[in-house]
Amino acid sequence: MIAEGVTSMVVSRSMCRVGAFAALACAMLLGAPAARQAGAQDAGASRAEMERLFQQILRKPSDLDANLRFARIAIALKDYEAAIGAFERLLFYNPDNGDVQLQLGRLYLELQSPQMARNYFSAAAQAPAAGASVRQQASAFIAQIDGVAAKPWWVYASFGARYQSNANAGPNQQIIRAFGQAQVAPQTTTKQADWNIFALTSAYYGWSFDDRGDTLEFNLAGYYAAQKKLTRLDLGLVDLQVGPRFLLPNESVANLSIRPYAIATYTALGGSTYFSGPGAGFTVRHDLGSFATLEHFGEYRRKTYENSTDYPLATQQTGNLWSYALQATGTITGNLKYVGRFTLNHNVAATGFNSFDQVALDVALPFEFTGPVTLGPGPWIVSPIAGFSNTRYGAPDPSVDPVDTRHDTEWRVGVRFDIPIFASVGFMTQISYAVVDSNIINYDTRNLSVTFGSTLRF
C-alpha cells in the first residue's frame, strides 16, 4: 500500500528535501525493497540486530539513530508493529514532529488501519514545524483515504441471536407501586428472560454534485428482532437520513464540513405500528490532529405514537424530541483507539410523566491485535464498553405514584469481540450488563445480554 497511489517514487523523492530527519526517513523507506531482500537472505541476523538495537533503546529511548535503524530493519522484515513502536517513541520526545507523524501514518496504512493512519496524517498536516512537502504529502494521503472511505456506497449488516435475562425490562421484585400503594405485580410484568433472532443493517450512498467534493448523502438504518416467547416485544425499525455535506476549507480548523439533513423514522412493536415521524438535523465535523475527530449533532424528531392491542396508551407518548450529541473518535496509543458519545435529550410528550430530560455518556475502547489463529484478513478487535445515563421525568405518573416524579440512573458495561473470517465476513459476540436504579421500584431493573452473530461489510 505504501508504494501505491500518492506514495509514488516522485512523492517519496520530494519528501527527501524536508530536512535531516526526513532524509533519514526517506532513505529508510526508499531503501525498503533492498532491505527486504537482505532480510530474506539473513532474517536471523536482522532479528539479532533488532534485539541489539532494542537493548540500546532501552538504555536511551530518545536515541534517534537507534530508533531509525530499528524501524528500518523492522520494515524490511514486515514487522510494522515494531516499526510503529520505534516511531512512537520518537514522537513521545517530540510530539510536534510532522515527519514522524507522516511515517506513522504510512505504516498504519500497511496494517490496513486507514482511520488511525488518517489521524497521524492530519497531525502531520498541522504540525507547526512541518515543511511544505510534509504538509502536501499528508494532505494527499488524507484525500486518498477519504476518497476510499467516501466511495459511492457501502453496506454493513449483522445477523445473529441475543439472550437477555430481562428482555421485557421488568422490575427486579414482585412488590411494586400502583396508584401510590404497594401491590404484587402480575407475573407477566416482572422480569422475564428470552431469546431473539435479529437482523441489523446500515447503508450509505453519496452522490458528488460538484468538483470540490461536496456530496448528497443517503443513510439508511434498519433493524428487526423476533422474540422467542415475548412476541409483543418483536421490534422493527427503519430510519432514513438525507442531506448534503459541504466541505469548508479553513486554515484554523482541519477537515471542516457541515451537513443539514432530513429524517424519516418508522417503528413497529409487537407487529403493529408503534411510532413514526419526520425530523431534521445538522452536523459539524472537524479534526483535532491525531487526538480526535469530532462531530456535533443537533436533531429534532416528531414522534407520533399509535395505540394497539398490546400498547393501548401509546399515544400518551406523542411529542417532540430535541437532541444534541458530541461524538469523538481517535487514537490513544498504538492499536488502542477510542469512540465516545455525549448526548443530551429533551423530550416533550403529550403527558408530563412521559416527558423527560436525559444526559448520557458512552465510551468504547477498540483494541486491534493479532489473533491466536488467522481466519481472515485484518486484525481481531476487542472493545470494552461502558455507559451512563441519567433521566428525569417531567411529572408524577398518577397510575404509579401521584406524588413522586420518576428519576432513573443507568450504568452499562460490556465487551465486544470482532473476528475476521473472510474478506468481507466476520464473527461478532458481545456480553453486556445494565443496571437501572430508580427512585420508584417499578423501574429498578437488571439485565444481562449475550449477543453473537455474523457481520458483513461491503
Side-chain angles (χ1 to χ4, degrees):
M1 185 179 295
I2 283 181
E4 296 175 353
V6 296
T7 58
S8 63
M9 185 69 73
V10 172
V11 172
S12 298
R13 285 173 178 166
S14 67
M15 185 185 69
C16 295
R17 296 192 292 271
V18 300
F21 180 89
L24 287 171
C26 279
M28 177 190 71
L29 289 169
L30 292 176
R36 283 195 294 270
Q37 182 179 2
Q41 295 171 351
D42 195 358
S46 296
R47 288 291 179 187
E49 177 65 5
M50 281 183 66
E51 178 61 27
R52 187 191 68 78
L53 289 168
F54 184 70
Q55 294 302 320
Q56 182 176 338
I57 291 167
L58 285 178
R59 293 190 296 271
K60 187 179 179 182
S62 61
D63 189 325
L64 171 65
D65 183 63
N67 276 289
L68 282 175
R69 285 188 289 151
F70 180 92
R72 181 185 303 169
I73 297 172
I75 290 176
L77 295 173
K78 296 187 177 180
D79 190 349
Y80 300 122
E81 292 89 347
I84 284 172
F87 280 119
E88 286 187 336
R89 281 190 292 272
L90 295 177
L91 195 61
F92 176 81
Y93 292 100
N94 189 358
D96 293 326
N97 193 312
D99 300 294
V100 175
Q101 291 161 336
L102 185 68
Q103 304 315 317
L104 281 166
R106 295 167 71 106
L107 289 167
Y108 274 114
L109 282 183
E110 286 286 359
L111 291 178
Q112 299 182 16
S113 296
Q115 185 55 52
M116 295 178 72
R118 189 186 189 283
N119 291 337
Y120 281 110
F121 289 138
S122 180
Q126 299 176 75
S133 178
V134 169
R135 293 176 183 270
Q136 291 170 3
Q137 288 180 77
S139 298
F141 276 116
I142 290 172
Q144 182 189 39
I145 292 170
D146 288 349
V148 172
K151 65 182 181 180
W153 64 272
W154 56 257
V155 176
Y156 170 83
S158 180
F159 308 91
R162 176 182 296 110
Y163 166 80
Q164 296 184 85
S165 64
N166 190 355
N168 62 328
N172 297 318
Q173 61 286 313
Q174 283 195 307
I175 303 301
I176 62 171
R177 287 157 77 174
F179 300 100
Q181 304 296 318
Q183 295 190 15
V184 177
Q187 188 174 1
T188 56
T189 64
T190 56
K191 67 176 183 179
Q192 299 179 60
D194 200 8
W195 286 86
N196 69 37
I197 55 174
F198 70 89
L200 177 151
T201 185
S202 59
Y204 167 88
Y205 175 76
W207 174 63
S208 180
F209 56 82
D210 61 26
D211 295 334
R212 194 177 65 169
D214 299 329
T215 57
L216 180 62
E217 298 183 355
F218 298 81
N219 291 278
L220 177 66
Y223 177 80
Y224 183 76
Q227 301 292 140
K228 181 180 179 182
K229 296 185 302 182
L230 305 175
T231 56
R232 69 182 185 278
L233 299 179
D234 290 351
L235 175 64
L237 167 69
V238 177
D239 189 88
L240 175 65
Q241 299 181 4
V242 181
R245 182 174 296 280
F246 300 104
L247 305 180
L248 302 177
N250 188 294
E251 292 184 0
S252 58
V253 181
N255 301 305
L256 177 65
S257 68
I258 61 172
R259 178 176 179 253
Y261 55 94
I263 303 170
T265 298
Y266 174 82
T267 300
L269 193 59
S272 300
T273 297
Y274 190 53
F275 74 82
S276 60
F282 189 85
T283 72
V284 179
R285 180 190 296 166
H286 60 93
D287 288 351
L288 293 179
S290 61
F291 175 72
T293 296
L294 300 181
E295 187 152 14
H296 308 260
F297 296 85
E299 283 190 357
Y300 162 78
R301 291 175 182 262
R302 174 65 182 176
K303 301 174 74 174
T304 301
Y305 287 78
E306 297 186 20
N307 294 334
S308 63
T309 302
D310 289 322
Y311 304 96
L313 302 178
T315 54
Q316 293 181 351
Q317 300 176 73
T318 293
N320 303 307
L321 175 64
W322 302 84
S323 301
Y324 166 77
L326 172 62
Q327 182 167 300
T329 59
T331 300
I332 298 175
T333 181
N335 293 341
L336 179 62
K337 298 187 288 185
Y338 71 89
V339 180
R341 187 179 179 93
F342 172 76
T343 307
L344 294 173
N345 290 316
H346 176 63
N347 187 71
V348 181
T351 52
F353 54 83
N354 283 312
S355 302
F356 60 82
D357 289 304
Q358 182 183 69
V359 57
L361 177 64
D362 291 276
V363 177
L365 299 174
F367 178 74
E368 300 180 355
F369 64 100
T370 301
V373 294
T374 301
L375 300 176
W380 291 34
I381 304 174
V382 57
S383 304
I385 302 166
F388 161 84
S389 63
N390 186 281
T391 308
R392 293 181 178 271
Y393 287 80
D397 183 346
S399 67
V400 176
D401 191 308
V403 176
D404 291 337
T405 299
R406 180 180 172 187
H407 177 201
D408 296 349
T409 301
E410 179 177 357
W411 299 91
R412 306 175 285 274
V413 294
V415 62
R416 174 180 169 122
F417 295 91
D418 286 278
I419 301 172
I421 304 297
F422 302 110
S424 300
V425 181
F427 175 79
M428 168 276 296
T429 184
Q430 180 172 318
I431 303 171
S432 59
Y433 187 71
V435 175
V436 177
D437 289 323
S438 178
N439 65 323
I440 298 178
I441 59 175
N442 302 34
Y443 307 108
D444 280 341
T445 65
R446 307 288 186 271
N447 184 42
L448 172 67
S449 175
V450 180
T451 306
F452 55 89
S454 60
T455 58
L456 303 174
R457 292 178 173 85
F458 302 99

